[in-house]
Amino acid sequence: MYGLHNGYHHFESFDGVQSLSKLLKSGGVRTGIIGKKHVAPLEVYPFDFAETEENNSILQVGRNITHMKQLTENFFKTQPSNMPFFLYIGFHDPHRCGHTHPEYGVFCEKFGNGEPKMGQIVDWKPEYYSTDEVVVPPFVQDTIATRQDLSAQYTTISRLDQGVGLIIKELTKAGHLNNTMVILTSDNGIPFLNGRTNLYKSGRSEPFLVSIPTKKETWGKTEDTSVSLLDITPTVLDWFGLQYPDYKLLGRDVKLTGKSLLKKYVTSTVYGSHSLHEVTMYYPMRSIQQDNFTLIQNLNYLMPFPIDQDFYISPAFQDILNRTIIGQETHWFKTLKDYYYRSPVELYDLANDPLEKNNLALDPVYADTKSILETKLKLWQDITWDPWRCAPDGVLEDAGPYASKPVCMPLHNEL
């Protein structure tokens, strides 16, 4: 599924995809979803209990933590005692909302705070942060506009944090705290420059917490290793003792490339893939991080990097845009032109260059590193049948005489 389903983007998965919720249902697990969904069609992503933006206001099922708590209670009230369950909670915090609900603030930080016309979320005690207190990530410009933007986001994060606590209380009330695996993560990086929609480390970095009741010795511990959202499906299937099926899609074998986190494993390699966010934001990128090196392929690099709707009108982006237009100091380590126009290949040494400022792709000293990473990334693209694996200087031929052995045909387009 290459982009968002909702709105006029309307992307959908192939009908034959065996999604996690579908596999769990067929494996005798009751499934529920509350909040953000963003995927389709329904037949591929079925849930026994569903309260999402498809049948509710996303504000109510994604940000109103009191209502989300009540929906969670309803899920457990109807849960058969002898049946395992999988419940997915899709908080919409801390996403931006200034382009859809500007009356509630840039992050909907005023929604439910008790002020006039804002309504009140009974279980939420808003936390506020002064612009002097907020920590500005080093990859974002440090200006008053950015600090105000961050402070609004921090307030919504207080709502999310308290919401997670409410869900855990419902899990406890239902008597399942000590037999349920809990995973907390995010669907993208922070929605600021170099963040969401980017494959820089700052765009891929997300919280990832796992609580496993059978492994109490791991509680409260952190590990300095690489994990990926691709690891979630094999982890959940492993928890329920279910196998991923052998099946084909469009005549091709489908393979999981993630690993179960229930098994002790250390990986030094994670992959990144981004094709587009909104339908108008076509900018396919692929990445690989191995140990301290990250390689990014910008397959549409001759075009300017696109900006999504909600980020464009944000205070942080308008700040950098207006400062650039009038020639004012941006307080950022990049220019807007650098951000828009990128090299075809980017290679960074994260140990010595954590902000990914110094592109080593053309440095002969790192030629072997670049070659190794490109080879591993190409292999991953082959395994996942990536339609972009020949771009931008070739065309993929994978039908007719090439069906069993696809090849990249050169375009001779000087790229």
Side-chain angles (χ1 to χ4, degrees):
M1 184 167 167
Y2 299 114
L4 302 179
H5 169 69
N6 304 65
Y8 52 74
H9 317 301
H10 202 56
F11 286 90
E12 293 193 353
S13 295
F14 289 110
D15 293 340
V17 168
Q18 298 296 302
S19 73
L20 180 59
S21 64
K22 191 171 185 177
L23 294 174
L24 293 177
K25 273 179 64 69
S26 63
V29 178
R30 182 172 180 247
T31 59
I33 180 172
I34 297 170
K36 182 179 177 181
K37 189 177 181 186
H38 260 353
V39 291
L42 180 62
E43 293 75 20
V44 173
Y45 300 96
F47 287 89
D48 298 307
F49 181 98
E51 299 290 346
T52 71
E53 73 270 20
E54 294 180 345
N55 56 352
N56 295 271
S57 160
I58 188 60
L59 293 178
Q60 294 301 325
V61 295
R63 298 185 192 266
N64 185 340
I65 59 175
T66 295
H67 187 53
M68 296 173 75
K69 174 191 74 172
Q70 293 166 344
L71 292 174
T72 303
E73 182 181 33
N74 293 343
F75 174 82
F76 284 124
K77 280 183 177 178
T78 55
Q79 172 64 28
S81 59
N82 61 345
M83 190 177 188
F85 68 89
F86 170 82
L87 179 59
Y88 169 81
I89 309 289
F91 287 94
H92 211 233
D93 288 322
H95 283 73
R96 294 184 177 277
C97 81
H99 69 305
T100 57
H101 298 91
E103 67 274 19
Y104 295 124
V106 293
F107 281 97
C108 280
E109 68 276 8
K110 300 178 184 178
F111 176 70
N113 69 359
E115 295 179 6
K117 298 184 179 180
M118 296 297 110
Q120 186 163 21
I121 299 174
V122 178
D123 292 290
W124 179 37
K125 295 179 177 58
E127 297 178 10
Y128 301 100
Y129 303 83
S130 73
T131 54
D132 294 331
E133 288 180 306
V134 297
V135 178
V136 180
F139 53 86
V140 177
Q141 80 273 22
D142 190 350
T143 64
I144 186 62
T146 300
R147 286 177 170 272
Q148 290 170 343
D149 217 359
L150 283 166
S151 123
Q153 188 189 42
Y154 284 12
T155 295
T156 68
I157 291 175
S158 79
R159 184 165 54 204
L160 182 147
D161 285 346
Q162 293 171 42
V164 171
L166 293 175
I167 301 301
I168 295 299
K169 284 183 179 178
E170 291 302 319
L171 185 68
T172 304
K173 279 171 50 181
H176 293 298
L177 181 66
N178 294 323
N179 59 15
T180 302
M181 176 175 66
V182 178
I183 299 175
L184 173 65
T185 186
S186 178
D187 60 343
N188 47 244
I190 187 173
F192 285 82
L193 290 162
N194 265 40
R196 186 178 76 161
T197 75
N198 287 277
L199 290 186
Y200 299 121
K201 182 75 179 292
S202 47
R204 294 182 290 109
S205 295
E206 301 162 5
F208 200 99
L209 293 85
V210 183
S211 175
I212 303 173
T214 57
K215 296 185 177 182
K216 291 187 178 181
E217 69 277 6
T218 67
W219 289 6
K221 293 185 178 180
T222 60
E223 291 199 25
D224 184 19
T225 187
S226 298
V227 296
S228 165
L229 297 185
L230 296 176
D231 297 326
I232 291 179
T233 290
T235 299
V236 173
L237 291 177
D238 191 10
W239 176 256
F240 288 112
L242 300 175
Q243 297 294 317
Y244 192 73
D246 291 326
Y247 78 102
K248 294 181 182 293
L249 192 63
L250 302 179
R252 301 159 181 167
D253 291 326
V254 178
K255 301 291 183 184
L256 292 180
T257 58
K259 300 286 195 311
S260 171
L261 299 177
L262 299 184
K263 297 177 172 62
K264 182 67 177 178
Y265 87 101
V266 176
T267 179
S268 62
T269 306
V270 290
Y271 300 93
S273 177
H274 179 85
S275 298
L276 66 165
H277 185 66
E278 296 156 10
V279 71
T280 52
M281 291 180 64
Y282 178 73
Y283 200 88
M285 300 176 286
R286 301 294 182 266
S287 72
I288 176 172
Q289 179 184 325
Q290 181 170 288
D291 298 322
N292 289 321
F293 285 93
T294 291
L295 181 137
I296 303 170
Q297 293 180 339
N298 298 307
L299 306 180
N300 205 33
Y301 68 94
L302 290 177
M303 293 292 289
F305 184 78
I307 306 298
D308 47 321
Q309 291 174 320
D310 55 348
F311 183 49
Y312 179 81
I313 65 172
S314 71
F317 186 75
Q318 286 297 306
D319 174 62
I320 206 80
L321 191 68
N322 292 330
R323 286 173 178 271
T324 300
I325 291 171
I326 64 176
Q328 198 176 67
E329 169 61 43
T330 62
H331 303 282
W332 194 33
F333 65 86
K334 289 184 178 180
T335 67
L336 196 54
K337 184 176 181 179
D338 290 336
Y339 191 65
Y340 286 149
Y341 296 98
R342 307 183 180 190
S343 301
V345 179
E346 299 177 71
L347 176 65
Y348 299 105
D349 177 357
L350 298 176
N352 298 303
D353 180 24
L355 291 182
E356 296 163 302
K357 293 181 179 181
N358 184 24
N359 184 6
L360 304 172
L362 298 180
D363 189 331
V365 173
Y366 296 91
D368 288 345
T369 299
K370 177 172 175 274
S371 177
I372 291 170
L373 293 179
E374 286 179 327
T375 299
K376 292 193 71 171
L377 181 57
K378 177 64 164 57
L379 178 61
W380 181 71
Q381 289 179 282
D382 288 341
I383 292 171
T384 58
W385 291 88
D386 186 349
W388 282 271
R389 60 190 183 273
C390 297
D393 57 352
V395 61
L396 175 65
E397 292 291 349
D398 61 353
Y402 306 105
S404 61
K405 196 172 182 180
V407 296
C408 293
M409 297 291 195
L411 290 170
H412 300 291
N413 55 13
E414 300 183 0
L415 296 181

